[in-house]
Amino acid sequence: MITLINRLASVQHLDNDNLSKLIATCCHDDNLFNQLRDKATQTAREQFGLGVYMRGLVEISSYCKNNCYYCGLRRDNKNASRYRLSDEDILACCNEGYAVGLRTFVLQGGEDAAFADNRLVSLITQIRHTCPDAAITLSLGERSAESYQHLFEAGASRYLLRHEAANPLLYDHLHPSNMSHANRINCIKSLIAIGYQTGMGMMVGAPGQTIEHLIDDLLLMKQLQPQMIGIGTFIPHPDTPFGMHHSGDLRLTYIVIAIARLMHPQANIPATTALQTLSPTGYIDGILSGANVVMPNITPLALRPQYEIYKGKHHTNTPIAETIQSLAQQLATIGYHL
Ligand code: SAH
């Protein structure tokens, strides 16, 4: 098995059968699990040293026209209390983040028609003006290729759109019939063709997902070569059709993150909020599985609880500067810095 890890590290690829063996063995063999994570951490260090990048996350709207079966922001969740930030709010979040050293802002939200292209173009233009050396990342779901193009021309240079499931049948199991795997993948291909640094990814432990599905995810990402890879653990939200399912497995999540790192040495891979939600050491265990990015939440404090994609989503109740200081302290315990 150790030869498989070494081969994965040296050629950045393994076939389906070997990935399957490696994952299955790491699930129960602590020694191999640790070796895999060590190799992934070492690979990340060769690229990024002991530095971890920060991306300031602004959750701009909890309104969504979609009805994904797993997500607490789904349209039919009548128990959700919804908010939408004003342009002034969003600019204030970015300016506050900028003042404490953030140089990438991620504007994420549900698919909310209030954020039409003209409004986003104006927002992007203003952020570019007040934070000239900051990168703007969008994570606003599926839009037309024309829309992605306009936003790119306005100055957004990165876009996160998890593919959610490479296997079309699993995709259909997780989404209502008006959403399609083909459209999701087309959106990702448009983003790549336009020139965005593009992020893909999926949840580990989504209802109905098998190890084979995760291998399909790894192989699809190998094929499309995203610059960013977001992998979190599925966590149920009671007001969704999947509310009765249990959370995905953290250990399996770390295994998949480590393999993604070995397949994509240069990709930006965040230690996601889902990890920290399931474990108080989630962020650092993500870093110790090969992740190299953390995404401090810079949404206005009072609204953070309302962006509830899953139950109990981790959020700090502290101003940005303190959140960053606490992240720095956690990372320092394993010898890393922001
Ligand atoms: N509307 C945007 C942003 C979605 S939220 C979009 O479509 O891209 C970002 C990610 O949260 C989703 O891509 C999904 O993978 C993840 N997510 C949603 N519900 C979740 C849940 N119950 N558990 C864990 N992750 C979840």
Side-chain angles (χ1 to χ4, degrees):
M1 279 296 156
I2 188 74
T3 40
L4 283 186
I5 296 178
N6 289 332
R7 193 183 331 152
L8 177 57
S10 65
V11 303
Q12 287 113 50
H13 203 28
L14 282 183
D15 64 21
N16 199 312
D17 282 355
N18 282 322
L19 281 172
S20 177
K21 273 186 217 150
L22 181 61
I23 295 173
T25 312
C26 285
C27 282
H28 62 79
D29 180 333
D30 289 347
N31 187 33
L32 196 73
F33 175 60
N34 291 332
Q35 303 219 39
L36 174 72
R37 292 176 72 202
D38 285 351
K39 196 61 140 184
T41 311
Q42 193 187 315
T43 301
R45 273 188 208 169
E46 280 160 19
Q47 299 293 329
F48 310 104
L50 294 168
V52 173
Y53 293 125
M54 283 189 284
R55 315 296 190 211
L57 179 65
V58 192
E59 295 160 335
I60 65 173
S61 173
S62 72
Y63 285 89
C64 190
K65 71 174 170 66
N66 285 333
N67 231 350
C68 306
Y69 297 139
Y70 45 85
C71 183
L73 304 186
R74 67 197 308 270
R75 179 185 70 225
D76 286 352
N77 179 7
K78 305 295 182 220
N79 292 331
S81 60
R82 311 274 178 176
Y83 72 88
R84 174 182 295 129
L85 296 187
S86 67
D87 292 4
E88 293 67 35
D89 290 334
I90 297 170
L91 288 167
C93 290
C94 294
N95 290 339
E96 202 190 328
Y98 192 83
V100 296
L102 295 176
R103 289 297 179 271
T104 300
F105 301 110
V106 182
L107 309 187
Q108 186 178 79
E111 292 194 18
D112 178 356
F115 286 95
D117 286 359
N118 54 359
R119 180 169 174 191
L120 285 169
V121 164
S122 142
L123 251 177
I124 293 164
T125 309
Q126 290 178 79
I127 300 171
R128 301 280 308 146
H129 183 74
T130 48
C131 309
D133 56 342
I136 301 172
T137 306
L138 302 177
S139 180
L140 300 169
E142 299 176 16
R143 306 175 74 95
S144 66
E146 294 70 37
S147 169
Y148 290 146
Q149 181 72 45
H150 283 145
L151 304 176
F152 184 77
E153 283 163 13
S157 57
R158 307 175 187 176
Y159 204 103
L160 308 177
L161 188 71
R162 289 189 181 176
H163 64 280
E164 312 293 2
N167 180 298
L169 293 177
L170 179 62
Y171 187 92
D172 288 347
H173 181 69
L174 300 175
H175 302 93
S177 59
N178 68 327
M179 293 181 74
S180 84
H181 177 265
N183 194 51
R184 194 84 180 169
I185 302 298
N186 277 338
C187 285
I188 291 170
K189 288 183 175 166
S190 299
L191 292 165
I192 294 171
I194 289 166
Y196 279 98
Q197 284 188 39
T198 302
M200 297 174 65
M202 67 288 177
M203 302 175 281
V204 171
Q209 185 191 60
T210 63
I211 302 281
E212 280 309 307
H213 291 136
L214 287 169
I215 294 171
D216 292 343
D217 291 324
L218 289 164
L219 295 177
L220 177 68
M221 292 194 289
K222 188 67 201 177
Q223 190 193 328
L224 296 182
Q225 293 287 322
Q227 284 89 358
M228 304 175 280
I229 297 178
I231 297 172
T233 317
F234 166 74
I235 302 171
H237 189 300
D239 300 316
T240 64
F242 290 156
M244 300 304 282
H245 283 261
H246 48 75
S247 293
D249 186 61
L250 255 184
R251 176 170 171 139
L252 180 57
T253 312
Y254 297 136
I255 294 169
V256 176
I257 289 174
I259 293 176
R261 164 57 67 210
L262 292 173
M263 292 176 88
H264 304 264
Q266 299 181 345
N268 283 315
I269 304 182
T272 48
T273 310
L275 307 179
Q276 189 72 15
T277 301
L278 291 172
S279 159
T281 56
Y283 287 139
I284 57 182
D285 290 334
I287 299 298
L288 293 179
S289 305
N292 70 308
V293 172
V294 288
M295 297 173 67
N297 191 334
I298 61 170
T299 308
L301 267 175
L303 296 171
R304 288 180 202 170
Q306 288 181 52
Y307 195 83
E308 197 182 42
I309 52 184
Y310 47 81
K311 205 67 203 168
K313 179 164 155 280
H314 169 82
H315 59 85
T316 50
N317 287 313
T318 49
I320 302 174
E322 279 173 51
T323 304
I324 290 176
Q325 203 185 2
S326 147
L327 276 170
Q329 279 164 0
Q330 291 171 61
L331 290 171
T333 64
I334 53 167
Y336 283 71
H337 57 265
L338 287 171

